[in-house]
Amino acid sequence: MDFDGRPFDGMIILQAGRWYCAYSLSYRDIEELMEERGVEVDHSTVQRWVVRYAPELEERFRKKKCPTGGSWRMDETYIKVKGKWKYYYRAVDKEGNTLDFLLCDKRDKKAAIRFFRKTIGFSGFPGKVNMDKSGSNYYALVWINCLLIMMGLWPLVIFIRQNKYLNNMIEQDHRGIKRIVDPMMGFKNFKAAQATLSGIELHRMLRKGQCANDKEMPAWKQWYELAA
């Protein structure tokens, strides 16, 4: 990764970013921890590092991400941005592996279609998708299925299942993200929220062993390997 022009060593930048994305710490907590290491850096600088480098690390990870299963559980949760609740779409497979995520301004059919398109683009078509009773999510998949039928792609039609009990897995998985996000007391802007969430999701996926060839390596080592 390119750290040229930065007054700090790349390892310091990566470590500060990992701490923030992996643990329930504020930027001021990171500033204090860095000071303990003999590094004087302002908390606002750490925030800029996260926004700048977390999405790049997550993009590199996608090239090494292990294949996921074809039985999905999808749901949305809430993330506060500039004092307003936004909608955070997420999906896991039946083994609990993270498929994808998307922060949206609204919770509607259009947002759900965007999420499914992104997830299918990276993970391929699922055999079935389990969700709650959300009408917008349901009709987004119906729209995708109609499109597949019109294109003559019958084998790719997705089975839609609405079973709240089976969605417990994704609801439980939300907690791992909320545990990191809630102490942040919300994000100041949408771009910062998207970037930070990509780093948090990345570290979660590394802990789940979703990086090909690096499964036996602890998550913190995998984080640094992605930047090599």
Side-chain angles (χ1 to χ4, degrees), residues 24-36:
S24 303
L25 298 170
S26 70
Y27 283 121
R28 292 187 184 275
D29 290 333
I30 304 298
E31 178 182 337
E32 186 175 331
L33 288 169
M34 286 284 110
E35 185 179 358
E36 188 175 325

Side-chain angles (χ1 to χ4, degrees), residues 131-142:
M131 62 181 69
D132 58 18
K133 298 296 183 178
S134 169
S136 59
N137 294 342
Y138 176 82
Y139 287 111
L141 271 187
V142 169

Side-chain angles (χ1 to χ4, degrees), residues 107-149:
R107 183 193 184 203
D108 54 18
K109 177 182 172 182
K110 184 177 180 181
I113 289 173
R114 281 182 58 209
F115 170 74
F116 282 122
R117 279 181 164 175
K118 181 188 179 192
T119 310
I120 290 170
F122 282 107
S123 302
F125 281 91
K128 54 189 171 184
V129 175
N130 191 83
M131 62 181 69
D132 58 18
K133 298 296 183 178
S134 169
S136 59
N137 294 342
Y138 176 82
Y139 287 111
L141 271 187
V142 169
W143 183 88
I144 291 172
N145 277 340
C146 289
L147 193 62
L148 291 171
I149 292 170

